Amino acid sequence: TDGSKSLDAEELDIGLRDFGVRLTANELEFVMRYFDSDKSGKISLEEFYKGMHGKMSRQRMEFVRDIFMSLETIAGRQTSGGGQYGKASREVMLDLEAMMDCYNSVAHPDVVSGAISEPEAQGQVMEAWANGAVEGLVSWVEFLNYYKALSACVADDREFLEGVQSTWSLPSHTEAGVFRAGTSRLLDA
């Protein structure tokens, strides 16, 4: 590869041939379309994992929702927008800067392994949400999509749940009263 941590069609073809897999041009195009979900012409590592692992489990999705709802007490803002059929809608979005005040970068797996520094981890997470629909705000869908990509990279449920929980410094159950019962129940399982 060219060091970009992603593969274009030619790089994918070369890599597959190195393992004895030969695809026709149509087959290669099909594989690229399947994995290249953002239509960039390249398959990122996250896209590859997502394609290999499929959908996020309900348990993980509920856990991520609970984290989002807990962050809502600290960083939540109501936004107005055009809803379905021209009706106004209100959506809770998280203020990115306030959210990052709760992000515990020391627990980021790449920081733990020594591959990157804490500021680099903060930067990566901020960059992941920086180009959302509303500048400086993170919607539930954007938050969920980030964790769907991460989920595809972690096979073990307990490892995923503990990893996500450890990267957020959230209010305790009694402080905010909204850290949903499901969150602790999922970790007790």
Side-chain angles (χ1 to χ4, degrees):
T1 69
D2 61 7
S4 66
K5 295 186 181 181
S6 61
L7 298 172
D8 62 23
E10 181 181 352
E11 291 169 325
L12 177 63
D13 190 40
I14 291 168
L16 289 172
R17 286 178 187 267
D18 285 348
F19 286 97
V21 178
R22 301 201 185 292
L23 299 179
T24 66
N26 286 342
E27 291 170 331
L28 185 61
E29 182 182 336
F30 176 82
V31 171
M32 286 298 295
R33 275 196 322 265
Y34 175 79
F35 284 103
D36 183 19
S37 60
D38 68 0
K39 312 283 188 256
S40 67
K42 292 187 172 228
I43 301 170
S44 69
L45 189 57
E46 291 81 14
E47 287 172 321
F48 178 77
Y49 282 136
K50 186 176 179 183
M52 294 301 292
H53 289 283
K55 295 186 177 194
M56 182 184 229
S57 73
R58 179 183 172 120
Q59 178 186 28
R60 290 182 183 200
M61 195 174 300
E62 288 174 358
F63 186 80
V64 170
R65 183 202 63 220
D66 289 346
I67 298 289
F68 183 88
M69 293 172 84
S70 292
L71 285 165
E72 179 186 338
T73 65
I74 300 160
R77 289 177 41 190
Q78 291 283 329
T79 61
S80 296
Q84 194 174 18
Y85 310 113
K87 296 178 183 175
S89 67
R90 297 186 67 74
E91 176 181 12
V92 173
M93 298 185 86
L94 303 178
D95 180 275
L96 182 56
E97 286 190 32
M99 209 173 104
M100 293 310 295
D101 288 342
C102 299
Y103 187 74
N104 182 18
S105 57
V106 73
H108 186 289
D110 290 340
V111 172
V112 172
S113 72
I116 63 173
S117 67
E118 288 181 55
E120 288 172 315
Q122 283 265 351
Q124 284 180 1
V125 173
M126 284 193 73
E127 185 178 318
W129 286 313
N131 297 318
V134 180
E135 188 175 339
L137 298 177
V138 179
S139 71
W140 158 241
V141 171
E142 292 163 345
F143 192 80
L144 177 62
N145 285 339
Y146 173 83
Y147 281 106
K148 280 182 177 179
L150 179 65
S151 178
C153 302
V154 182
D156 182 72
D157 281 341
R158 188 169 212 45
E159 181 182 347
F160 175 81
L161 300 175
E162 289 174 351
V164 171
Q165 186 176 44
S166 70
T167 57
W168 293 104
S169 299
L170 298 169
S172 70
H173 300 285
T174 55
E175 280 179 60
V178 295
F179 198 81
R180 305 291 187 249
T183 303
S184 57
R185 184 185 76 245
L186 292 173
L187 284 174
D188 292 338

